[in-house]
Amino acid sequence: INGEGIKILPAILDKVARIQYGVKGNGPLDQNGFLVNKIPVSKNFYVTAVGLGFIYAPYEVKSFADGEVNLVVPFTALNTWLMPGYKK
């Protein structure tokens, strides 16, 4: 991901989290079951055939009862910011 993509990644993670956890509207995440208002970019990530996965430990973004949070950002959402040769 290029530098501009790194800057936009928190906004993309926010969208992925809202979809994955069924957050309706644009209300603050911390009023919709999250412990944070903005999803930070986790240093714990992995690459799959469909996108980048970001892993968050319990209490990092959601409660312990929610367990580990795993957000997968599809390459299609990142395509604009992928380095040449990696576009999907």
Side-chain angles (χ1 to χ4, degrees):
I1 300 176
N2 66 24
E4 189 177 328
I6 299 285
K7 290 178 186 174
I8 198 80
L9 193 51
I12 295 170
L13 285 166
D14 181 271
K15 289 179 184 178
V16 169
R18 288 173 184 277
I19 292 167
Q20 187 169 320
Y21 287 93
V23 176
K24 305 237 189 272
N26 291 323
L29 287 176
D30 60 358
Q31 293 179 12
N32 286 283
F34 286 81
L35 300 174
V36 296
N37 194 25
K38 294 183 182 197
I39 303 291
V41 177
S42 176
K43 292 181 181 180
N44 297 320
F45 68 94
Y46 59 95
V47 180
T48 73
V50 296
L52 296 177
F54 294 87
I55 301 170
Y56 301 88
Y59 287 122
E60 197 170 354
V61 295
K62 288 187 75 62
S63 74
F64 184 80
D66 290 305
E68 184 177 270
V69 172
N70 185 7
L71 301 176
V72 178
V73 178
F75 282 127
T76 55
L78 299 170
N79 209 23
T80 302
W81 303 284
L82 291 176
M83 298 293 205
Y86 291 97
K87 298 196 186 245
K88 294 282 180 180

